Amino acid sequence: MPAPSAEPRAPRTPRSKGLAVALTKAGRTKIRYPAELVRDDGTRVTVRAPWAAPGVRDFGFVRFEPGDVFTEHYWRDRWFAVKEVRTGDGELKGWYCDITRPAVLADGVLAVEDLDLDLWVSADGSSVLRLDEDEFEASGLAGRDPGAAGAAARALDELEALARADGLAGLLT
């Protein structure tokens, strides 16, 4: 019988490159869309998908539109997801970050629960915006699940600090 190896485990190789991302909010499916699995190292799952909503969504500080490509990073041990947003021509628009419970990948579905808080970081890093804090307060999560609410608030603070210090690129390499 061979001795156990002290070498790190190799990244998991998916049998199929396709999966579905299922984003829920308050127990209901917000959006479900197909994505290509780029990498799964056992802790972080990275997928790539085109803009999945119909039409254009203009937030004022960025527009998501057909042709945009999202490279999305989800963690099994962190309370956030970071989505790198590029135009169809490859120009970086920035990073849209969702505060979420840790992701679960099972049976070809990457399940993520949105906890309302978001962060936007522009491509040049000059704009770092905390978003939807009013929705988070109104959700009642702090009363229902104070542990999750605290983890969500800490995750938003952590992402903002990273974005303002060194940018998010280091987190994604």
Side-chain angles (χ1 to χ4, degrees):
M1 176 182 279
S5 171
E7 294 180 28
R9 222 172 70 202
R12 296 178 189 176
T13 304
R15 278 186 237 144
S16 168
K17 288 249 184 203
L19 55 78
V21 175
L23 184 64
T24 61
K25 187 172 181 176
R28 300 174 69 166
T29 300
K30 183 177 172 182
I31 191 168
R32 183 182 173 109
Y33 53 92
E36 173 193 355
L37 180 60
V38 174
R39 184 165 192 235
D40 180 355
D41 67 8
T43 301
R44 185 175 77 195
V45 179
T46 302
V47 302
R48 187 169 295 118
W51 169 240
V56 173
R57 181 117 188 245
D58 190 340
F59 292 95
F61 51 87
V62 67
R63 286 171 49 103
F64 296 156
E65 50 202 337
D68 286 350
V69 177
F70 287 64
T71 301
E72 305 174 357
H73 305 270
Y74 298 92
W75 284 264
R76 291 178 172 96
D77 63 351
R78 295 187 183 201
W79 287 70
F80 56 75
V82 177
K83 302 171 181 183
E84 180 185 276
V85 185
R86 293 185 177 271
T87 66
D89 295 334
E91 180 183 343
L92 180 63
K93 290 185 174 186
W95 296 269
Y96 194 90
C97 308
D98 285 322
I99 304 304
T100 67
R101 290 185 189 269
V104 176
L105 177 59
D107 300 322
V109 177
L110 183 61
V112 184
E113 183 181 350
D114 184 351
L115 298 177
D116 292 308
L117 294 171
D118 300 298
L119 186 77
W120 169 254
V121 181
S122 63
D124 64 4
S126 65
S127 178
V128 178
L129 304 172
R130 293 170 73 107
L131 307 169
D132 303 329
E133 290 176 298
D134 55 337
E135 289 180 29
F136 180 70
E137 283 297 318
S139 75
L141 184 64
R144 284 190 325 276
D145 190 345
R154 287 188 299 277
L156 181 62
D157 290 344
E158 176 186 354
L159 278 174
E160 181 181 17
L162 285 169
R164 292 188 185 283
D166 300 322
L168 296 178
L171 178 66
L172 307 178
T173 56

